[in-house]
Amino acid sequence: MTHKLMALPLLLSLAACGGHEETRKEPPPPTVSVARVDLRALDGGFTASGRLIPREEVAIAPELSGYRIAHVQVEEDAQVRAGQVLAVLDDALLRAQIAQARAQLTQQQVASDKARMEAGRVAGLDNMGVVSQEAIDQRRIADRSAQASVGVARAQLDDLLTRQQRLTVRAPVAGRVLQRSARPGEPSASGTVLFTIARDNLVELDAEVPEAVMGTLATGDPVKVVLASGISVDGRVRLLGARVNNQTGLSTARIALPVRQDLRPGGFAQARFVKAKAPVLSAPEGAVHYDADGAYMQLLDGRDHVHRVAVRTGRRAGDMVEILSGPRRGDRAVMGGGAFVLEGDRVRVAGEKAGA
């Protein structure tokens, strides 16, 4: 009986120790589902609308003011070649000035010939006493002065002849006449546009693109452009806008189009941006999370510990999203249960997403 009483406290002590160990046992790690970051062919794309514009619009204005428009040689929508005459200004006023300038040049040339001959008569008579040195110097100065007067008269005539040539308005480039505002009988005004030409008939679509997808585009990307008539035209991204409108959140993409007669600047068109179906690094959209710092993913290392990685996303197709930067191919991304784990936590993987 005595031995039984001594053993009882020992058993109670051991039982108490065992219960304490049970309470100190760590809880199991949370269970999460994961998906692989891998290469996949993404379909889809996005659409954007905009207006057709000339790639380069050339405005043609007269260089001289105050001359009446005598003739207009082309109409709107005409095809013109470089150097072709578009309009002619009346040169009646210049013709009289040119005739007067030519007469003045002739007079100056005659006076110059006379002065040159008089200077020639005293050539070699310096310091010989036949003619005073002062008279010799005066004839030579008169000869040089007459030559200078001839140069001035010739320059004035050349200026008038140049003005006469500029009264003919020519096309600086080949292309399609988009606008004609020149009307016969109206006086010309320097800086007033008479004609507008689309250089080489090149028209492109100025598409308004959301800022969020600008990073997914690149010059040379194929684009399907649908005109207002319903006709579909193949184009390519030629230029991406460098700025985003701070009011609309839209940027621009210039879509180069083939030369076609039915492409009229100012018209409406819609573009569908479709990348080639080459495999890209992607993951399910559920693996990408967002907070105040931007998009991120929770990746698992080899010991199933969670690590946060910032990501940059691209195109979306179905429930998949393109990964432009951050994770690497083969990484495991936390899907379900990710809201309850933190950086460095160890988790238990329930299984990867089927088909991922």
Side-chain angles (χ1 to χ4, degrees):
M1 183 68 178
T2 305
H3 292 291
K4 290 181 179 180
L5 293 174
M6 294 178 62
L8 182 59
L10 179 61
L11 291 173
L12 292 174
S13 176
L14 290 174
C17 290
H20 185 61
E21 287 180 358
E22 288 292 332
T23 58
R24 293 178 56 188
K25 192 173 183 179
E26 293 184 1
T31 301
V32 299
S33 60
V34 300
R36 292 278 180 179
V37 178
D38 207 347
L39 293 176
R40 301 174 180 85
L42 295 185
D43 296 331
F46 65 94
T47 59
S49 59
R51 294 288 177 179
L52 298 173
I53 61 172
R55 178 179 296 188
E56 184 176 344
E57 187 173 295
V58 181
I60 303 168
E63 299 183 46
L64 303 176
S65 300
Y67 294 91
R68 183 178 60 86
I69 298 175
H71 305 286
V72 179
Q73 305 288 71
V74 298
E75 296 290 341
E76 187 172 312
D77 201 36
Q79 296 290 333
V80 298
R81 63 184 183 279
Q84 181 176 332
V85 176
L86 304 180
V88 178
L89 306 183
D90 188 1
D91 65 346
L93 296 176
L94 271 181
R95 286 200 301 270
Q97 295 175 354
I98 289 172
Q100 182 180 5
R102 282 191 172 125
Q104 291 177 347
L105 176 60
T106 301
Q107 288 179 343
Q108 295 298 337
Q109 287 174 335
V110 170
S112 177
D113 292 341
K114 179 180 178 182
R116 185 170 58 255
M117 288 187 295
E118 290 180 355
R121 294 192 184 100
V122 297
L125 298 181
D126 296 83
N127 302 319
M128 295 184 62
V130 178
V131 181
S132 67
Q133 190 63 38
E134 182 179 359
I136 294 174
D137 293 340
Q138 287 179 348
R139 292 190 181 188
R140 289 172 177 168
I141 292 172
D143 180 29
R144 291 197 296 271
S145 178
Q147 292 179 23
S149 297
V150 170
V152 171
R154 182 173 288 110
Q156 291 174 343
L157 177 61
D158 290 343
D159 176 67
L160 293 173
L161 292 174
T162 300
R163 288 173 175 268
Q164 188 180 42
Q165 292 177 351
R166 300 295 172 85
L167 293 180
T168 301
V169 181
R170 299 180 181 273
V173 297
R176 183 182 189 179
V177 178
L178 301 178
Q179 182 182 6
R180 169 211 152 176
S181 58
R183 291 188 291 183
E186 286 189 346
S188 63
S190 180
T192 300
V193 177
L194 300 181
F195 302 92
T196 302
I197 294 178
R199 181 179 64 83
D200 297 330
N201 295 337
L202 296 176
V203 176
E204 56 191 22
L205 175 62
D206 187 27
E208 296 183 326
V209 179
E211 177 187 5
V213 297
M214 282 296 290
T216 69
L217 299 180
T219 55
D221 283 352
V223 183
K224 188 71 70 173
V225 176
V226 180
L227 306 179
S229 61
I231 296 175
S232 181
V233 181
D234 291 328
R236 289 194 173 273
V237 176
R238 183 184 70 85
L239 184 68
L240 295 175
R243 300 180 60 185
V244 176
N245 188 300
N246 57 7
Q247 295 180 344
T248 64
L250 300 175
S251 188
T252 58
R254 291 286 189 94
I255 313 303
L257 300 172
V259 175
R260 295 172 56 102
Q261 192 65 24
D262 57 349
L263 296 180
R264 298 183 178 277
F268 176 84
Q270 187 179 68
R272 180 168 181 79
F273 298 85
V274 182
K275 285 272 192 179
K277 296 183 180 180
V280 296
L281 195 65
S282 61
E285 278 199 274
V288 181
H289 312 285
Y290 301 89
D291 62 10
D293 295 326
Y296 69 95
M297 296 176 71
Q298 293 176 305
L299 304 182
L300 300 184
D301 61 16
R303 300 176 60 189
D304 293 339
H305 287 126
V306 176
H307 298 284
R308 173 180 170 136
V309 175
V311 299
R312 188 164 64 92
T313 60
R315 290 180 295 139
R316 286 169 168 77
D319 63 345
M320 306 300 293
V321 59
E322 181 182 8
I323 305 299
L324 300 177
S325 66
R328 295 174 297 180
R329 183 182 182 185
D331 284 347
R332 296 178 299 162
V334 174
M335 294 281 292
F340 304 101
V341 297
L342 301 174
E343 175 74 19
D345 284 354
R346 184 175 180 275
V347 298
R348 182 170 57 186
V349 178
E352 295 187 2
K353 185 178 179 181

